[in-house]
Amino acid sequence: QVQLVESGGGLVQAGGSLRLSCAASGRTFSRSAMGWFRQAPGKEREFVASINWSGDNTYYKHSVEGRFTISRDNVLNTVHLQMNSLKPEDTAVYYCAARPEGSSWYSWYSYEYDDWGQGTQVTVSS
């Protein structure tokens, strides 16, 4: 099991930027693909971005591609989500998630992630 703690959320105006961070501890972090998901009020949790174990392959939800960038540091055991050109529809609780150890490829399916953080609120005002 890996423990995940997100930070960096907050209130920002439309067009602004935020950088989310996820600190991992526990089992070997570098052997797992990582992902970011989000959940808006009254909506189901949805995929945002994922990154493979080495950080050289990524995949994004279509609506955030070109605005968001996922990255990881396997030495510091952190994953980041740089969010630029934010829109009000990006408002949600953002969750960091880890795939099981050895599952090194990215995924957009939430059921393929075993460990989840507590979430961090992102609010984009118009």
Side-chain angles (χ1 to χ4, degrees):
Q1 187 178 12
V2 62
Q3 290 75 46
L4 304 170
V5 179
E6 302 98 333
S7 61
L11 173 64
V12 64
Q13 288 188 333
S17 299
L18 282 174
R19 180 177 171 84
L20 304 184
S21 297
C22 174
S25 61
R27 60 168 172 83
T28 305
F29 169 79
S30 61
R31 297 178 184 174
S32 301
M34 300 293 294
W36 285 95
F37 291 77
R38 67 187 182 187
Q39 187 167 19
K43 295 187 177 181
E44 294 187 354
R45 187 173 298 187
E46 66 176 7
F47 168 78
V48 176
S50 183
I51 189 166
N52 75 328
W53 71 276
S54 63
D56 56 359
N57 283 278
T58 57
Y59 189 79
Y60 297 91
K61 176 181 173 63
H62 179 70
S63 63
V64 309
E65 198 163 13
R67 299 189 295 123
F68 291 10
T69 302
I70 187 172
S71 61
R72 68 187 295 163
D73 185 326
N74 286 343
V75 175
L76 297 179
N77 289 348
T78 55
V79 179
H80 302 283
L81 185 68
Q82 177 66 43
M83 305 186 295
N84 299 327
S85 302
L86 282 162
K87 304 176 180 180
E89 51 263 43
D90 294 320
T91 295
V93 177
Y94 282 71
Y95 297 91
C96 175
R99 294 201 65 195
E101 185 172 351
S103 297
S104 58
W105 200 245
Y106 59 68
S107 171
W108 51 87
Y109 297 116
S110 60
Y111 63 79
E112 292 190 341
Y113 291 79
D114 274 5
D115 297 297
W116 295 79
Q118 81 290 349
T120 185
Q121 177 70 48
V122 171
T123 303
V124 184
S125 62
S126 57

